[in-house]
Amino acid sequence: MWGESAASVEEASIASSLSPLDPMKYYYDMILAAGYSFNRDYEKAIAFARRSLKANKHHQPTLRALLLAQGESNQIEDARQTLSQLLQETPNLTIALSRNGWRFKFRTPARCPSLAQPGRAGSLSFSMKGKYLCPY
């Protein structure tokens, strides 16, 4: 997903439609979930993330995309459950890892306002016990 989020959604949709039985379809669904989150279409982001997780329930990037969409759409209880699942998959995920880890080096708190700051999703931030999670 490089460039504009609208273009990434279009490209992932086309790729997904070209191979409807692809065993990696969950990955296209994760890309669509992330793209819809960037477009602030959280309902679609959540739908694609859930579809992706049905095919691969351990896919951490999908869990992070789902967590962001749930946090941004104030679905705090659902976000808590997703966070719990994510932390089971990645128990060592911390602020330092997400900011300094190779997979997260271009991702900043400014792109994930509800999860990076205790303001809007304060109850979710509290449940993180100081951990910062952001799929972007």
Side-chain angles (χ1 to χ4, degrees):
M1 270 185 15
W2 300 102
E4 297 295 319
S5 58
S8 68
V9 167
E10 182 179 340
E11 291 169 10
S13 293
I14 291 168
S16 182
S17 70
L18 292 174
S19 186
L21 301 177
D22 192 326
M24 295 290 290
K25 187 165 176 56
Y26 73 90
Y27 192 78
Y28 296 118
D29 288 341
M30 182 275 302
I31 292 171
L32 287 164
Y36 281 120
S37 285
F38 272 129
N39 292 340
R40 295 193 167 123
D41 189 343
Y42 303 118
E43 186 176 316
K44 286 184 182 175
I46 290 168
F48 277 100
R50 289 184 194 273
R51 189 165 89 176
S52 176
L53 289 170
K54 283 183 182 178
N56 184 349
K57 68 180 180 178
H58 301 288
H59 195 236
Q60 296 165 28
T62 302
L63 289 168
R64 292 190 303 264
L66 179 59
L67 178 62
L68 173 71
Q70 290 169 329
E72 289 292 327
S73 61
N74 281 325
Q75 296 180 23
I76 302 305
E77 286 305 314
D78 290 339
R80 280 193 183 122
Q81 292 173 7
T82 301
L83 177 62
S84 177
Q85 185 179 353
L86 181 59
L87 290 176
Q88 286 175 359
E89 295 291 332
T90 317
N92 65 337
L93 189 60
T94 63
I95 293 171
L97 177 63
S98 67
R99 288 188 178 159
N100 299 322
W102 69 271
R103 296 183 68 147
F104 303 94
K105 66 182 178 180
F106 298 112
R107 297 160 188 166
T108 63
R111 295 191 87 169
C112 301
S114 69
L115 301 180
Q117 302 168 1
R120 202 169 114 218
S123 57
L124 179 61
S125 298
F126 176 76
S127 71
M128 289 185 193
K129 297 178 184 170
K131 295 182 180 180
Y132 168 80
L133 304 170
C134 180
Y136 307 110

